[in-house]
Amino acid sequence: MILVTGATGSIGKHLVQQLQQLQVPFKALVRDAGKGRMLGCPYVVGDFDDPESIDAALTAVDQVLLNGAGAVPTADGAEQPMVAQQKAAIDAAVRAGVAKMVKISVWRAHQGGRLAEGAHWDIEQHLKASGIEWALLQPSGFMQNFITGAGTFSDDGSLIAPAVDAPVSYIDCYDIAACAAALLTEPSGSGRSFVLTGPEALTMAEIAGQLSSALAKPVDVVGLSSDDMAARLQAQGVPAQFALDVAHLWADVGTGSLAATTPEVKNLTGREPRTFAEFLAANRAAFR
Ligand SMILES: NC(=O)c1ccc[n+]([C@@H]2O[C@H](COP(=O)([O-])OP(=O)(O)OC[C@H]3O[C@@H](n4cnc5c(N)ncnc54)[C@H](OP(=O)(O)O)[C@@H]3O)[C@@H](O)[C@H]2O)c1
């Protein structure tokens, strides 16, 4: 039995559908029963911040997809909540006798990294030391960020970002889910980390061009300096250190740090990852 955490999110929604198609036994962890019913699959209600609910959810589970919220604004110097949440879930999985855990991490996770990059690295080390069989998925930026907004759209619908000229190998969460499904249902891949990217690296101008065609209306790109980005976030009430960390991460993207592509989606699933055009075609309703 597989437990899918983060089941209502950008990756989880695809994963539950793909596991249903594969007809393997699984249950989704949801915080809200209404969202669980909407998924249309077996679910259990639980919250990473409620350890007893995680212990209960792990009953009769032998494989886990570990996924939750990304980096959130915290008081300066405070640890990202995902670190304590996911470490506790790993400890609960050890107690429950879980055999294998596949964790959604982030590309360039490293010790002392800012926001998600450092937080995921901490969790990765905890999982590696747990004794549970593990596999790590380290994706590039999500194409779904252009549906959720994720800090890239202004009020008038323009794309705003510091690194407008830097290509990024965005990946569709559909493909991340397919990689997770492969690792959860086949014996291969244990003890390995997989950097997942889309098939091409696109600049913001190229993304805007494709969005303009798909939406049949112009989408402009507004470039900001990293400092302007930090100031803008702070003006919106975001804590100063969080705003600076976001700006630094964008400055790093501006050096081309997320431009490479890898063959891992094809290696794990047997097919090429979706292009941005294919992602747009598959999500027309969301963009309307
Ligand atoms: N966005 C990117 O470009 C990107 C790139 C690389 C890696 N990542 C990583 O990918 C992961 C997913 O990020 P995302 O922003 O795309 O997430 P998301 O789609 O918003 O999904 C987050 C999921 O976690 C669940 N969740 C949140 N808090 C929880 C809690 N306390 N207990 C149980 N479940 C909880 C949410 O459930 P509810 O429906 O109840 O809220 C939701 O199902 C993050 O770890 C992020 O660092 C993101």
Side-chain angles (χ1 to χ4, degrees):
M1 166 75 76
I2 298 168
L3 179 70
V4 177
T5 69
T8 57
S10 301
I11 300 168
K13 279 184 199 160
H14 287 298
L15 182 57
V16 297
Q17 286 176 3
Q18 293 171 13
L19 293 177
Q20 272 174 326
Q21 281 161 12
L22 291 169
Q23 298 186 328
V24 292
F26 75 96
K27 56 185 172 181
L29 180 83
V30 295
R31 287 194 288 183
D32 176 74
K35 287 191 180 181
R37 285 192 288 278
M38 295 282 287
L39 287 176
C41 68
Y43 67 87
V44 55
V45 176
D47 190 315
F48 287 134
D49 292 324
D50 174 2
E52 285 180 12
S53 73
I54 301 300
D55 284 335
L58 285 166
T59 306
V61 166
D62 46 31
Q63 317 236 37
V64 174
L65 186 278
L66 182 60
N67 184 28
V72 294
T74 53
D76 288 353
E79 184 180 74
Q80 280 294 318
M82 74 162 96
V83 176
Q85 290 174 342
Q86 294 196 20
K87 282 185 177 178
I90 292 165
D91 294 345
V94 171
R95 288 194 300 275
V98 166
K100 182 173 181 181
M101 201 169 233
V102 177
K103 169 173 163 51
I104 305 296
S105 178
V106 68
W107 192 6
R108 298 168 57 80
H110 62 279
Q111 186 170 22
R114 294 172 194 273
L115 302 177
E117 292 184 350
H120 281 302
W121 187 88
D122 280 351
I123 303 163
E124 288 182 354
Q125 305 317 303
H126 198 75
L127 177 56
K128 288 177 179 177
S130 70
I132 296 177
E133 207 180 312
W134 56 267
L136 302 174
L137 295 180
Q138 300 173 322
S140 183
F142 294 176
M143 292 181 185
Q144 272 72 9
N145 293 348
F146 296 97
I147 294 177
T148 62
T152 48
F153 284 99
S154 68
D155 290 342
D156 70 359
S158 303
L159 284 175
I160 50 165
V164 290
D165 297 324
V168 175
S169 53
Y170 292 104
I171 181 166
D172 190 334
C173 289
Y174 173 88
D175 291 321
I176 304 172
C179 292
L183 289 166
L184 289 164
T185 56
E186 292 162 21
S188 56
S190 293
R192 289 189 53 200
S193 304
F194 300 88
V195 173
L196 304 181
T197 72
E200 59 196 343
L202 299 173
T203 64
M204 277 293 175
E206 290 167 328
I207 295 274
Q210 294 201 33
L211 281 169
S212 300
S213 303
L215 301 174
K217 67 173 187 183
V219 173
D220 294 326
V221 180
V222 179
L224 287 178
S225 71
S226 301
D227 289 346
D228 286 346
M229 180 68 149
R232 200 177 172 121
L233 288 172
Q234 274 185 258
Q236 291 168 358
V238 170
Q241 188 58 51
F242 186 90
L244 283 174
D245 284 344
V246 170
H248 271 99
L249 288 175
W250 274 109
D252 195 37
V253 171
T255 67
S257 62
L258 299 184
T261 59
T262 72
E264 300 293 19
V265 172
K266 179 147 193 218
N267 291 346
L268 283 167
T269 68
R271 56 164 186 76
E272 296 292 343
R274 282 179 172 173
T275 62
F276 195 72
E278 288 168 332
F279 159 75
L280 287 175
N283 290 280
R284 280 196 200 293
F287 282 100
R288 264 201 299 278

